[in-house]
Amino acid sequence: MVMKIFIDGEAGTTGLEIRERLAGRADIEIVAIPAEKRKDVETKRDILASVNLAILCLPDDAAKETVALCDALGDKAPRLLDASTAHRVAPGWVYGFPELCAGQAEAVAKAARVANVGCYATGSIALLRPLVDAGLIQPDQPLAINAVSGYSGGGRQMIESYEKGEAPAFELYALGLEHKHLAEIMAYSRLTARPLFVPSVGNFRQGMLVSVPLALDTLPGKPEAADFEAAYRRHYAGAHHVRLTQPPKSGRLDALALNGTDDMEVFVFANEARRHAVLVARLDNLGKGASGAAVQNLDLMIGA
């Protein structure tokens, strides 16, 4: 059966990436809205009523407007996959991180509405949830999360600034400490204490590193690196896109190494003599961090 898919917001970075990934697939028909009709509510409503699934690649407010249109369609409404931040912790939406826990992929496959995971949240939750579930980190543990992303994750204005050579080589941002990904990081990592999250952007188009430094003797049971590795192996056993990877002996990581893939690597760097560790997730912010994750969720939803 050919599934009709509508990408609402296909002209943006995520939408373009998703469309490119779906191009040429015989099991999918992309239904597009004419450029001159993109803001025409009636045209969008008619398209939504005619497709099997809609992928929302929109700002939050616009995504909510499209969801409201679908609500009004009743039984004619398509299934929804929302790549915005709008519904990631909303009731009635399944979180689109299939590797989150046992049964999550099945929940995505059956869901009428799926909220695609955020890029920083992907790395953060991938590092933290297995350790919280294993009792190696307590939900109220004070934590810091540091991350660097390629500029393609920052939207049109940031992309243009970097590509024109007007942006700095590296910058910290969201230093008001209210980043929009914190809600989902806490909810799906099962944290009760709000972590300090410090994101940054570098002068490269795509690629991402997310890191969590830990003082091992402040954790319950005073674990060793091997305990973390064992927890990750159990959690990601059988996962196709997330894997525990041995740290390079150089002690260095290239943020761009997984560009063009939908994979994520998890590392445990440790100095047992100092009782310090740094957990690191590496991914392509446009791959497993956005469009690649959306296509992974789409395939689950349509049984591909």
Side-chain angles (χ1 to χ4, degrees), residues 2-304:
V2 175
M3 305 297 289
K4 290 186 176 182
I5 309 295
F6 171 49
I7 305 173
D8 194 4
E10 66 174 20
T13 303
T14 301
L16 288 170
E17 288 272 336
I18 292 173
R19 188 177 180 100
E20 183 177 330
R21 289 164 186 267
L22 298 180
R25 283 184 49 166
D27 61 333
I28 287 175
E29 176 188 346
I30 301 293
V31 179
I33 190 169
E36 69 276 10
K37 295 283 189 178
R38 282 181 184 161
K39 295 185 179 180
D40 186 273
V41 175
E42 293 296 329
T43 301
K44 182 181 288 190
R45 182 184 291 114
D46 290 344
I47 290 176
L48 289 167
S50 73
V51 299
N52 301 104
L53 189 145
I55 306 174
L56 312 184
C57 302
L58 301 164
D60 286 6
D61 288 344
K64 291 176 182 177
E65 291 172 2
T66 295
V67 172
L69 286 176
C70 291
D71 288 340
L73 288 172
D75 292 341
K76 294 183 178 180
R79 298 171 77 189
L80 296 175
L81 174 56
D82 185 8
S84 81
T85 316
H87 300 100
R88 290 178 183 160
V89 294
W93 290 75
V94 171
Y95 195 56
F97 188 14
E99 299 87 1
L100 177 68
C101 59
Q104 192 68 15
E106 291 79 7
V108 170
K110 296 176 182 177
R113 295 183 173 186
V114 173
N116 210 51
V117 62
C119 56
Y120 287 128
T122 302
S124 301
I125 296 166
L127 294 173
L128 296 173
R129 177 63 178 264
L131 304 187
V132 173
D133 284 353
L136 296 171
I137 291 178
Q138 291 299 304
D140 61 353
Q141 176 75 27
L143 294 170
I145 303 170
N146 301 291
V148 60
S149 174
Y151 60 76
S152 57
R156 181 179 58 82
Q157 190 172 17
M158 178 178 284
I159 292 171
E160 289 179 354
S161 177
Y162 272 91
E163 292 185 346
K164 290 178 181 177
E166 298 172 354
F170 178 88
E171 59 183 322
L172 298 178
Y173 71 102
L175 290 173
L177 305 181
E178 292 287 350
H179 194 278
K180 63 183 181 179
H181 286 187
L182 273 167
E184 60 185 297
I185 290 172
M186 289 188 66
Y188 299 107
S189 298
R190 292 183 166 172
L191 300 179
T192 58
R194 184 183 178 88
L196 280 166
F197 177 49
V198 185
S200 59
V201 61
N203 191 12
F204 49 92
R205 179 172 175 77
Q206 60 198 88
M208 175 171 284
L209 295 173
V210 180
S211 60
V212 178
L214 295 170
L216 297 177
D217 288 339
T218 69
L219 301 177
K222 299 184 178 181
E224 298 180 351
D227 299 313
F228 295 151
E229 292 173 348
Y232 288 137
R233 286 195 189 95
R234 287 194 302 270
H235 193 96
Y236 295 118
H240 297 297
H241 293 290
V242 183
R243 60 183 177 271
L244 175 69
T245 303
Q246 287 302 305
K249 293 180 180 180
S250 66
R252 306 171 75 169
L253 280 182
D254 177 6
L256 284 61
L258 291 182
N259 284 2
T261 79
D262 295 336
D263 296 337
M264 175 164 51
E265 294 176 325
V266 173
F267 300 86
V268 179
F269 291 86
N271 183 325
E272 293 291 355
R274 302 295 185 183
R275 299 294 293 150
H276 286 166
V278 178
L279 315 174
V280 184
R282 175 163 63 183
L283 62 154
D284 180 348
N285 62 290
L286 295 182
K288 186 59 174 166
S291 304
V295 173
Q296 183 184 1
N297 287 320
L298 171 66
D299 284 342
L300 288 169
M301 294 174 77
I302 67 174

